[in-house]
Amino acid sequence: RLLTSKRAPREEPAVPIWYYFPCQRWLAVEEDDGQVARELVPVDEAFVKKDSENDGQSPATLGLEQKAKSTTYTVKVKTGDKKNAGTDANVFIILYGSKDDTGIVSLKASKINKNKFERGKVDEFTVESVDIGDLKKIKIGHDNKGNSTGWFLEWVEIDAPSLGQCLKFPCGRWLDKSEDDGAIERIIFPADLQTVEYIPFVPYEITVYTSDIFGAGTDADVFIVLYGSDGICTQQKSLCLNKREQRMYFERNSVNQFIVELEDVGDIIEKIRIGHKGGGLNSGWHLDRVTIRRLLPNGK
């Protein structure tokens, strides 16, 4: 998905376009034709739009409007490969943009390692924020609490899909009261020559309707791929962030909405591929339909 140049800006449509994808079939190894993923094509809304007065009233939709106006950053942090480089202290980061900053964000749960900030390791975190504009600098540091607090930070990498940029913030210094200059927090600027640019991602609102039949719900990892014209498609994206969300969503007769940042496939969605990765006790799923709209940049 990494490209060397950005696509010329496209003129936005006056209103967001809704796409309706009926399914009404099992995605289960032991049901129907045994497939756990299906390609669906859009139809006119009159074929699938029903109970419209209840659409969007699920508790899961709370906060979606705010989420639609926010963006998600993937933050990777490399601890140096030196003696005593790792830290047990609580690490925080602040992202500064051309419009605003994120405020203090605690880096609590690494997506890669159970024990974070260990010597020579890379940890990955998700930071969600309102639009702060182009990334200009970061501040990163720790609270100096714990048994081993000193930390040698090699670099920070921030992938900002909505900007179409992956920026590298080199450090190569101690954040330690007894090493270097004694500072435990540092302001770091991106290395321009290490910045990778690609086509910016855009937010899509994806609403998934699970059928009202016995055993329709699933606890599996549900994914989606969007296909535009000219062979453009998105990466395969899981709709749930973790196993807890997998257990919460896709229950029988439920409506679940997601704001997902994906590669921009353009104004026309020709088809989607939706499915799950199986596994677990309750993986079989009966999908009724999916609706999708590409959100405009201003969040309307």
Side-chain angles (χ1 to χ4, degrees):
R1 69 180 175 85
L2 296 181
L3 302 176
T4 56
S5 61
K6 295 184 180 180
R7 180 193 303 169
R10 179 192 297 109
E11 185 175 331
E12 296 293 340
V15 293
I17 301 173
W18 287 89
Y19 290 86
Y20 301 88
F21 299 87
C23 181
Q24 298 174 348
R25 294 186 67 180
W26 283 100
L27 288 82
V29 173
E30 298 180 354
E31 299 284 353
D32 203 334
D33 59 358
Q35 298 300 310
V36 296
R38 299 191 184 282
E39 291 192 348
L40 310 177
V41 295
V43 301
D44 186 272
E45 67 175 294
F47 289 99
V48 295
K49 193 73 169 173
K50 55 189 176 183
D51 302 326
S52 59
E53 66 274 13
N54 294 323
D55 284 355
Q57 298 304 308
S58 154
T61 64
L62 293 176
L64 277 177
E65 182 177 345
Q66 181 177 356
K67 187 174 176 66
K69 296 177 181 178
S70 67
T71 189
T72 301
Y73 302 92
T74 298
V75 178
K76 292 184 178 180
V77 180
K78 171 68 182 295
T79 299
D81 190 9
K82 293 177 175 285
K83 184 179 180 181
N84 299 322
T87 184
D88 295 330
N90 298 303
V91 174
F92 70 87
I93 193 170
I94 304 173
L95 278 55
Y96 294 89
S98 56
K99 298 178 182 178
D100 202 351
D101 65 72
T102 61
I104 295 175
V105 178
S106 297
L107 300 180
K108 292 183 177 179
S110 172
K111 289 187 171 184
I112 300 176
N113 304 305
K114 184 176 181 181
N115 295 319
K116 55 188 184 294
F117 309 124
E118 294 291 306
R119 175 179 174 174
K121 300 290 186 180
V122 176
D123 292 288
E124 182 178 317
F125 306 87
T126 298
V127 174
E128 191 175 292
S129 170
V130 296
D131 180 18
I132 62 172
D134 293 335
L135 274 173
K136 298 297 185 183
K137 63 181 180 180
I138 63 171
K139 179 187 282 187
I140 189 166
H142 61 78
D143 61 2
N144 205 46
K145 294 181 180 178
N147 295 324
S148 302
T149 59
W151 184 34
F152 190 90
L153 172 62
E154 196 70 57
W155 49 256
V156 177
E157 182 182 275
I158 299 180
D159 191 1
S162 63
L163 300 176
Q165 286 187 327
C166 185
L167 301 98
K168 196 72 161 283
F169 296 79
C171 181
R173 296 183 68 178
W174 287 97
L175 285 78
D176 188 337
K177 287 194 171 182
S178 60
E179 297 281 354
D180 204 332
D181 60 358
I184 59 172
E185 59 182 49
R186 298 196 182 278
I187 291 176
I188 312 173
F189 294 88
D192 291 339
L193 294 179
Q194 296 184 59
T195 296
V196 177
E197 295 194 347
Y198 54 92
I199 298 172
F201 284 25
V202 297
Y204 290 88
E205 180 184 284
I206 300 173
T207 308
V208 180
Y209 298 78
T210 299
S211 303
D212 186 15
I213 63 175
F214 179 76
T218 184
D219 292 334
D221 183 6
V222 173
F223 64 81
I224 194 167
V225 182
L226 311 187
Y227 295 83
S229 57
D230 301 323
I232 299 173
C233 68
T234 69
Q235 62 184 321
Q236 180 172 299
K237 179 73 172 182
S238 293
L239 294 179
C240 293
L241 296 176
N242 49 49
K243 291 187 180 297
R244 182 183 66 83
E245 288 192 356
Q246 290 173 212
R247 292 191 294 268
M248 287 174 55
Y249 300 145
F250 312 118
E251 296 293 308
R252 172 179 175 174
N253 195 31
S254 66
V255 180
N256 301 119
Q257 279 190 327
F258 306 88
I259 304 294
V260 183
E261 286 183 330
L262 294 168
E263 295 93 336
D264 188 356
V265 299
D267 300 331
I268 298 175
I269 303 175
E270 293 194 341
K271 65 179 180 179
I272 66 172
R273 179 175 177 82
I274 188 167
H276 61 78
K277 300 175 182 178
L281 297 176
N282 303 298
S283 62
W285 183 35
H286 197 282
L287 172 63
D288 183 74
R289 66 192 193 273
V290 180
T291 65
I292 298 176
R293 67 174 176 140
R294 176 176 174 266
L295 299 177
L296 299 181
N298 59 10
K300 291 182 179 179

Tab-separated table of all heavy atoms in Angstrom, residues 109-160:
chain	number	residue	atom	x	y	z
A	109	ALA	N	-0.751	-0.449	26.589
A	109	ALA	CA	-0.853	-1.837	26.125
A	109	ALA	C	-0.210	-1.983	24.761
A	109	ALA	O	-0.736	-1.516	23.755
A	109	ALA	CB	-2.321	-2.265	26.078
A	110	SER	N	0.938	-2.650	24.719
A	110	SER	CA	1.607	-2.918	23.444
A	110	SER	C	0.863	-4.023	22.706
A	110	SER	O	0.454	-5.019	23.305
A	110	SER	CB	3.052	-3.342	23.681
A	110	SER	OG	3.657	-3.783	22.483
A	111	LYS	N	0.688	-3.849	21.402
A	111	LYS	CA	0.005	-4.860	20.597
A	111	LYS	C	0.923	-6.038	20.286
A	111	LYS	O	0.454	-7.071	19.796
A	111	LYS	CB	-0.485	-4.239	19.283
A	111	LYS	CG	-1.647	-3.281	19.436
A	111	LYS	CD	-2.165	-2.862	18.071
A	111	LYS	CE	-3.454	-2.093	18.203
A	111	LYS	NZ	-4.030	-1.743	16.887
A	112	ILE	N	2.212	-5.877	20.545
A	112	ILE	CA	3.184	-6.901	20.147
A	112	ILE	C	3.724	-7.680	21.341
A	112	ILE	O	3.797	-8.914	21.303
A	112	ILE	CB	4.356	-6.252	19.374
A	112	ILE	CG1	3.832	-5.550	18.119
A	112	ILE	CG2	5.407	-7.296	19.009
A	112	ILE	CD1	4.902	-4.800	17.356
A	113	ASN	N	4.086	-6.970	22.409
A	113	ASN	CA	4.763	-7.616	23.538
A	113	ASN	C	3.970	-7.451	24.838
A	113	ASN	O	3.443	-6.374	25.125
A	113	ASN	CB	6.153	-7.001	23.726
A	113	ASN	CG	6.996	-7.085	22.470
A	113	ASN	OD1	7.190	-8.163	21.918
A	113	ASN	ND2	7.492	-5.942	22.005
A	114	LYS	N	3.914	-8.536	25.610
A	114	LYS	CA	3.252	-8.466	26.914
A	114	LYS	C	4.027	-7.539	27.844
A	114	LYS	O	3.447	-6.712	28.553
A	114	LYS	CB	3.138	-9.866	27.520
A	114	LYS	CG	2.390	-9.894	28.831
A	114	LYS	CD	2.221	-11.315	29.339
A	114	LYS	CE	1.446	-11.339	30.649
A	114	LYS	NZ	1.286	-12.728	31.162
A	115	ASN	N	5.359	-7.689	27.863
A	115	ASN	CA	6.223	-6.790	28.623
A	115	ASN	C	6.783	-5.745	27.670
A	115	ASN	O	7.613	-6.056	26.820
A	115	ASN	CB	7.358	-7.568	29.297
A	115	ASN	CG	6.851	-8.538	30.342
A	115	ASN	OD1	5.939	-8.218	31.098
A	115	ASN	ND2	7.429	-9.727	30.368
A	116	LYS	N	6.326	-4.522	27.808
A	116	LYS	CA	6.696	-3.482	26.851
A	116	LYS	C	7.990	-2.784	27.256
A	116	LYS	O	8.422	-2.848	28.398
A	116	LYS	CB	5.562	-2.459	26.713
A	116	LYS	CG	5.111	-1.823	28.008
A	116	LYS	CD	3.863	-0.982	27.797
A	116	LYS	CE	3.437	-0.258	29.080
A	116	LYS	NZ	2.999	-1.180	30.119
A	117	PHE	N	8.604	-2.129	26.273
A	117	PHE	CA	9.821	-1.333	26.442
A	117	PHE	C	10.988	-2.158	27.003
A	117	PHE	O	11.728	-1.730	27.872
A	117	PHE	CB	9.548	-0.103	27.328
A	117	PHE	CG	8.358	0.695	26.883
A	117	PHE	CD1	7.302	0.946	27.746
A	117	PHE	CD2	8.284	1.183	25.586
A	117	PHE	CE1	6.193	1.675	27.338
A	117	PHE	CE2	7.179	1.915	25.163
A	117	PHE	CZ	6.129	2.158	26.037
A	118	GLU	N	11.119	-3.371	26.455
A	118	GLU	CA	12.254	-4.226	26.811
A	118	GLU	C	13.405	-3.978	25.832
A	118	GLU	O	13.199	-3.536	24.700
A	118	GLU	CB	11.843	-5.696	26.770
A	118	GLU	CG	10.815	-6.083	27.824
A	118	GLU	CD	11.371	-6.065	29.231
A	118	GLU	OE1	12.396	-6.717	29.475
A	118	GLU	OE2	10.777	-5.376	30.082
A	119	ARG	N	14.610	-4.296	26.270
A	119	ARG	CA	15.821	-4.065	25.466
A	119	ARG	C	15.709	-4.653	24.053
A	119	ARG	O	15.356	-5.815	23.874
A	119	ARG	CB	17.026	-4.683	26.183
A	119	ARG	CG	18.320	-4.633	25.405
A	119	ARG	CD	19.471	-5.243	26.174
A	119	ARG	NE	20.684	-5.323	25.355
A	119	ARG	CZ	21.870	-5.717	25.809
A	119	ARG	NH1	22.000	-6.071	27.086
A	119	ARG	NH2	22.917	-5.758	24.993
A	120	GLY	N	15.971	-3.822	23.045
A	120	GLY	CA	16.012	-4.260	21.659
A	120	GLY	C	14.666	-4.557	21.022
A	120	GLY	O	14.619	-5.013	19.875
A	121	LYS	N	13.566	-4.289	21.714
A	121	LYS	CA	12.238	-4.644	21.214
A	121	LYS	C	11.523	-3.440	20.605
A	121	LYS	O	11.779	-2.291	20.953
A	121	LYS	CB	11.370	-5.215	22.343
A	121	LYS	CG	11.933	-6.465	23.000
A	121	LYS	CD	11.866	-7.654	22.055
A	121	LYS	CE	12.286	-8.939	22.764
A	121	LYS	NZ	12.222	-10.106	21.858
A	122	VAL	N	10.592	-3.741	19.678
A	122	VAL	CA	9.697	-2.737	19.109
A	122	VAL	C	8.299	-2.988	19.655
A	122	VAL	O	7.801	-4.117	19.609
A	122	VAL	CB	9.676	-2.806	17.567
A	122	VAL	CG1	8.656	-1.819	16.993
A	122	VAL	CG2	11.057	-2.515	16.992
A	123	ASP	N	7.682	-1.959	20.191
A	123	ASP	CA	6.307	-2.048	20.689
A	123	ASP	C	5.394	-1.217	19.799
A	123	ASP	O	5.810	-0.212	19.218
A	123	ASP	CB	6.227	-1.555	22.133
A	123	ASP	CG	6.950	-2.476	23.095
A	123	ASP	OD1	6.442	-3.581	23.345
A	123	ASP	OD2	8.028	-2.092	23.587
A	124	GLU	N	4.145	-1.641	19.715
A	124	GLU	CA	3.179	-0.948	18.862
A	124	GLU	C	1.941	-0.560	19.661
A	124	GLU	O	1.421	-1.355	20.440
A	124	GLU	CB	2.781	-1.841	17.680
A	124	GLU	CG	1.815	-1.181	16.712
A	124	GLU	CD	1.495	-2.080	15.529
A	124	GLU	OE1	2.425	-2.713	14.987
A	124	GLU	OE2	0.308	-2.148	15.158
A	125	PHE	N	1.478	0.669	19.450
A	125	PHE	CA	0.329	1.208	20.176
A	125	PHE	C	-0.606	1.909	19.196
A	125	PHE	O	-0.182	2.359	18.125
A	125	PHE	CB	0.775	2.208	21.246
A	125	PHE	CG	1.805	1.673	22.202
A	125	PHE	CD1	3.159	1.759	21.908
A	125	PHE	CD2	1.423	1.070	23.393
A	125	PHE	CE1	4.113	1.262	22.779
A	125	PHE	CE2	2.364	0.561	24.268
A	125	PHE	CZ	3.714	0.659	23.952
A	126	THR	N	-1.871	2.017	19.583
A	126	THR	CA	-2.851	2.773	18.803
A	126	THR	C	-3.223	4.032	19.564
A	126	THR	O	-3.563	3.968	20.745
A	126	THR	CB	-4.119	1.937	18.545
A	126	THR	OG1	-3.767	0.785	17.774
A	126	THR	CG2	-5.161	2.740	17.785
A	127	VAL	N	-3.124	5.176	18.893
A	127	VAL	CA	-3.501	6.459	19.483
A	127	VAL	C	-4.617	7.059	18.648
A	127	VAL	O	-4.466	7.238	17.434
A	127	VAL	CB	-2.297	7.432	19.534
A	127	VAL	CG1	-2.741	8.817	20.003
A	127	VAL	CG2	-1.215	6.884	20.447
A	128	GLU	N	-5.740	7.346	19.281
A	128	GLU	CA	-6.877	7.950	18.583
A	128	GLU	C	-7.019	9.399	19.016
A	128	GLU	O	-6.939	9.713	20.205
A	128	GLU	CB	-8.158	7.169	18.885
A	128	GLU	CG	-9.333	7.567	18.009
A	128	GLU	CD	-10.537	6.673	18.255
A	128	GLU	OE1	-10.471	5.478	17.912
A	128	GLU	OE2	-11.534	7.175	18.808
A	129	SER	N	-7.239	10.287	18.046
A	129	SER	CA	-7.294	11.713	18.359
A	129	SER	C	-8.160	12.427	17.340
A	129	SER	O	-8.367	11.935	16.224
A	129	SER	CB	-5.873	12.304	18.337
A	129	SER	OG	-5.910	13.718	18.403
A	130	VAL	N	-8.652	13.600	17.719
A	130	VAL	CA	-9.291	14.469	16.740
A	130	VAL	C	-8.215	14.946	15.760
A	130	VAL	O	-7.017	14.781	16.010
A	130	VAL	CB	-9.978	15.684	17.403
A	130	VAL	CG1	-11.112	15.224	18.307
A	130	VAL	CG2	-8.974	16.505	18.199
A	131	ASP	N	-8.627	15.542	14.676
A	131	ASP	CA	-7.686	15.992	13.644
A	131	ASP	C	-6.766	17.075	14.203
A	131	ASP	O	-7.218	18.141	14.593
A	131	ASP	CB	-8.474	16.539	12.451
A	131	ASP	CG	-7.571	17.021	11.327
A	131	ASP	OD1	-6.387	16.627	11.324
A	131	ASP	OD2	-8.049	17.790	10.481
A	132	ILE	N	-5.470	16.783	14.248
A	132	ILE	CA	-4.504	17.774	14.742
A	132	ILE	C	-3.689	18.384	13.599
A	132	ILE	O	-2.773	19.165	13.827
A	132	ILE	CB	-3.547	17.148	15.790
A	132	ILE	CG1	-2.722	16.014	15.183
A	132	ILE	CG2	-4.328	16.674	17.020
A	132	ILE	CD1	-1.634	15.481	16.102
A	133	GLY	N	-4.033	18.009	12.364
A	133	GLY	CA	-3.307	18.544	11.220
A	133	GLY	C	-2.038	17.758	10.940
A	133	GLY	O	-1.853	16.634	11.407
A	134	ASP	N	-1.140	18.354	10.163
A	134	ASP	CA	0.122	17.698	9.833
A	134	ASP	C	0.984	17.530	11.078
A	134	ASP	O	1.120	18.464	11.873
A	134	ASP	CB	0.893	18.522	8.796
A	134	ASP	CG	0.186	18.559	7.453
A	134	ASP	OD1	-0.581	17.628	7.161
A	134	ASP	OD2	0.401	19.539	6.706
A	135	LEU	N	1.581	16.348	11.241
A	135	LEU	CA	2.437	16.086	12.393
A	135	LEU	C	3.734	16.883	12.290
A	135	LEU	O	4.428	16.826	11.280
A	135	LEU	CB	2.762	14.598	12.475
A	135	LEU	CG	1.765	13.705	13.208
A	135	LEU	CD1	2.158	12.251	13.052
A	135	LEU	CD2	1.684	14.076	14.668
A	136	LYS	N	4.049	17.631	13.357
A	136	LYS	CA	5.238	18.482	13.360
A	136	LYS	C	6.330	17.966	14.293
A	136	LYS	O	7.511	18.064	14.007
A	136	LYS	CB	4.848	19.910	13.761
A	136	LYS	CG	3.883	20.583	12.799
A	136	LYS	CD	4.503	20.744	11.419
A	136	LYS	CE	3.612	21.522	10.479
A	136	LYS	NZ	4.174	21.626	9.123
A	137	LYS	N	5.924	17.441	15.463
A	137	LYS	CA	6.895	16.951	16.436
A	137	LYS	C	6.158	16.098	17.450
A	137	LYS	O	4.918	16.048	17.470
A	137	LYS	CB	7.591	18.124	17.146
A	137	LYS	CG	6.648	19.000	17.956
A	137	LYS	CD	7.376	20.171	18.615
A	137	LYS	CE	6.393	21.031	19.418
A	137	LYS	NZ	7.053	22.181	20.070
A	138	ILE	N	6.923	15.434	18.309
A	138	ILE	CA	6.339	14.673	19.414
A	138	ILE	C	7.124	14.978	20.681
A	138	ILE	O	8.275	15.418	20.630
A	138	ILE	CB	6.346	13.153	19.156
A	138	ILE	CG1	7.782	12.630	19.044
A	138	ILE	CG2	5.539	12.799	17.928
A	138	ILE	CD1	7.898	11.109	18.998
A	139	LYS	N	6.475	14.764	21.802
A	139	LYS	CA	7.172	14.720	23.090
A	139	LYS	C	6.927	13.329	23.669
A	139	LYS	O	5.797	12.842	23.690
A	139	LYS	CB	6.651	15.778	24.065
A	139	LYS	CG	7.342	15.728	25.432
A	139	LYS	CD	6.696	16.669	26.437
A	139	LYS	CE	7.109	18.097	26.204
A	139	LYS	NZ	6.630	19.010	27.268
A	140	ILE	N	7.993	12.689	24.125
A	140	ILE	CA	7.870	11.364	24.712
A	140	ILE	C	8.712	11.317	25.971
A	140	ILE	O	9.785	11.931	26.047
A	140	ILE	CB	8.272	10.256	23.710
A	140	ILE	CG1	7.934	8.874	24.267
A	140	ILE	CG2	9.727	10.373	23.298
A	140	ILE	CD1	7.974	7.767	23.229
A	141	GLY	N	8.209	10.638	26.979
A	141	GLY	CA	8.925	10.565	28.255
A	141	GLY	C	8.290	9.556	29.184
A	141	GLY	O	7.410	8.788	28.787
A	142	HIS	N	8.725	9.546	30.433
A	142	HIS	CA	8.178	8.621	31.425
A	142	HIS	C	8.148	9.283	32.791
A	142	HIS	O	8.688	10.382	32.989
A	142	HIS	CB	8.977	7.308	31.455
A	142	HIS	CG	10.425	7.469	31.824
A	142	HIS	ND1	10.863	7.659	33.118
A	142	HIS	CD2	11.555	7.462	31.068
A	142	HIS	CE1	12.174	7.744	33.152
A	142	HIS	NE2	12.625	7.636	31.897
A	143	ASP	N	7.472	8.611	33.750
A	143	ASP	CA	7.258	9.201	35.072
A	143	ASP	C	8.341	8.828	36.084
A	143	ASP	O	8.234	9.180	37.269
A	143	ASP	CB	5.881	8.817	35.617
A	143	ASP	CG	5.704	7.313	35.791
A	143	ASP	OD1	6.666	6.556	35.525
A	143	ASP	OD2	4.596	6.891	36.177
A	144	ASN	N	9.352	8.069	35.661
A	144	ASN	CA	10.483	7.696	36.527
A	144	ASN	C	10.068	6.834	37.712
A	144	ASN	O	10.749	6.809	38.734
A	144	ASN	CB	11.220	8.952	37.025
A	144	ASN	CG	12.667	8.664	37.390
A	144	ASN	OD1	13.372	7.989	36.642
A	144	ASN	ND2	13.112	9.164	38.534
A	145	LYS	N	8.960	6.105	37.568
A	145	LYS	CA	8.488	5.243	38.649
A	145	LYS	C	8.739	3.780	38.307
A	145	LYS	O	8.620	3.374	37.158
A	145	LYS	CB	7.000	5.473	38.900
A	145	LYS	CG	6.680	6.860	39.438
A	145	LYS	CD	5.196	7.023	39.702
A	145	LYS	CE	4.877	8.406	40.248
A	145	LYS	NZ	3.423	8.589	40.473
A	146	GLY	N	9.088	2.981	39.326
A	146	GLY	CA	9.363	1.566	39.129
A	146	GLY	C	10.776	1.212	39.547
A	146	GLY	O	11.546	2.054	40.014
A	147	ASN	N	11.132	-0.055	39.359
A	147	ASN	CA	12.447	-0.530	39.772
A	147	ASN	C	13.542	-0.145	38.799
A	147	ASN	O	14.638	0.253	39.201
A	147	ASN	CB	12.410	-2.060	39.933
A	147	ASN	CG	11.491	-2.499	41.060
A	147	ASN	OD1	11.410	-1.826	42.083
A	147	ASN	ND2	10.797	-3.614	40.872
A	148	SER	N	13.253	-0.277	37.518
A	148	SER	CA	14.236	0.069	36.480
A	148	SER	C	13.617	1.138	35.593
A	148	SER	O	12.847	0.836	34.686
A	148	SER	CB	14.595	-1.164	35.643
A	148	SER	OG	15.104	-2.200	36.462
A	149	THR	N	13.954	2.389	35.873
A	149	THR	CA	13.262	3.492	35.197
A	149	THR	C	14.021	4.036	33.991
A	149	THR	O	13.405	4.516	33.037
A	149	THR	CB	13.011	4.651	36.178
A	149	THR	OG1	14.266	5.096	36.698
A	149	THR	CG2	12.138	4.193	37.326
A	150	GLY	N	15.324	3.996	34.022
A	150	GLY	CA	16.111	4.536	32.909
A	150	GLY	C	15.764	3.847	31.599
A	150	GLY	O	15.528	2.634	31.554
A	151	TRP	N	15.730	4.604	30.495
A	151	TRP	CA	15.264	4.066	29.213
A	151	TRP	C	16.104	4.640	28.082
A	151	TRP	O	16.333	5.856	28.029
A	151	TRP	CB	13.801	4.433	29.026
A	151	TRP	CG	13.129	3.876	27.811
A	151	TRP	CD1	13.359	2.677	27.210
A	151	TRP	CD2	12.088	4.509	27.049
A	151	TRP	NE1	12.530	2.504	26.129
A	151	TRP	CE2	11.735	3.611	26.009
A	151	TRP	CE3	11.415	5.712	27.165
A	151	TRP	CZ2	10.747	3.916	25.073
A	151	TRP	CZ3	10.429	6.017	26.242
A	151	TRP	CH2	10.096	5.121	25.214
A	152	PHE	N	16.571	3.765	27.187
A	152	PHE	CA	17.265	4.231	25.989
A	152	PHE	C	16.311	4.078	24.809
A	152	PHE	O	15.989	2.968	24.388
A	152	PHE	CB	18.545	3.443	25.729
A	152	PHE	CG	19.402	4.061	24.650
A	152	PHE	CD1	20.379	4.995	24.971
A	152	PHE	CD2	19.216	3.725	23.310
A	152	PHE	CE1	21.163	5.580	23.972
A	152	PHE	CE2	19.994	4.301	22.314
A	152	PHE	CZ	20.965	5.237	22.645
A	153	LEU	N	15.845	5.216	24.289
A	153	LEU	CA	14.882	5.234	23.194
A	153	LEU	C	15.626	5.363	21.867
A	153	LEU	O	16.326	6.347	21.634
A	153	LEU	CB	13.911	6.401	23.373
A	153	LEU	CG	12.956	6.677	22.208
A	153	LEU	CD1	12.042	5.488	21.947
A	153	LEU	CD2	12.124	7.936	22.493
A	154	GLU	N	15.451	4.372	21.007
A	154	GLU	CA	16.118	4.395	19.696
A	154	GLU	C	15.364	5.287	18.701
A	154	GLU	O	15.929	6.187	18.095
A	154	GLU	CB	16.219	2.975	19.143
A	154	GLU	CG	17.214	2.829	18.003
A	154	GLU	CD	18.652	2.980	18.475
A	154	GLU	OE1	19.092	2.232	19.370
A	154	GLU	OE2	19.331	3.873	17.932
A	155	TRP	N	14.071	5.004	18.535
A	155	TRP	CA	13.260	5.814	17.622
A	155	TRP	C	11.774	5.593	17.871
A	155	TRP	O	11.377	4.640	18.547
A	155	TRP	CB	13.582	5.532	16.150
A	155	TRP	CG	13.635	4.092	15.713
A	155	TRP	CD1	14.760	3.358	15.463
A	155	TRP	CD2	12.532	3.198	15.463
A	155	TRP	NE1	14.431	2.083	15.078
A	155	TRP	CE2	13.071	1.958	15.045
A	155	TRP	CE3	11.146	3.316	15.529
A	155	TRP	CZ2	12.279	0.853	14.728
A	155	TRP	CZ3	10.350	2.223	15.201
A	155	TRP	CH2	10.919	1.005	14.808
A	156	VAL	N	10.979	6.494	17.307
A	156	VAL	CA	9.523	6.367	17.294
A	156	VAL	C	9.078	6.491	15.841
A	156	VAL	O	9.573	7.348	15.103
A	156	VAL	CB	8.836	7.457	18.138
A	156	VAL	CG1	7.313	7.339	18.053
A	156	VAL	CG2	9.293	7.389	19.594
A	157	GLU	N	8.168	5.628	15.427
A	157	GLU	CA	7.598	5.701	14.079
A	157	GLU	C	6.094	5.872	14.200
A	157	GLU	O	5.440	5.155	14.962
A	157	GLU	CB	7.918	4.426	13.301
A	157	GLU	CG	7.401	4.430	11.871
A	157	GLU	CD	7.699	3.116	11.168
A	157	GLU	OE1	8.818	2.975	10.628
A	157	GLU	OE2	6.817	2.227	11.172
A	158	ILE	N	5.537	6.828	13.477
A	158	ILE	CA	4.101	7.098	13.548
A	158	ILE	C	3.501	7.002	12.154
A	158	ILE	O	3.896	7.734	11.240
A	158	ILE	CB	3.813	8.482	14.160
A	158	ILE	CG1	4.368	8.553	15.586
A	158	ILE	CG2	2.311	8.763	14.151
A	158	ILE	CD1	4.143	9.874	16.283
A	159	ASP	N	2.551	6.082	12.002
A	159	ASP	CA	1.826	5.925	10.748
A	159	ASP	C	0.492	6.644	10.893
A	159	ASP	O	-0.310	6.320	11.769
A	159	ASP	CB	1.611	4.432	10.459
A	159	ASP	CG	1.096	4.188	9.055
A	159	ASP	OD1	0.925	5.158	8.299
A	159	ASP	OD2	0.852	3.012	8.711
A	160	ALA	N	0.279	7.654	10.037
A	160	ALA	CA	-0.947	8.464	10.071
A	160	ALA	C	-1.713	8.236	8.771
A	160	ALA	O	-1.504	8.948	7.786
A	160	ALA	CB	-0.598	9.941	10.250
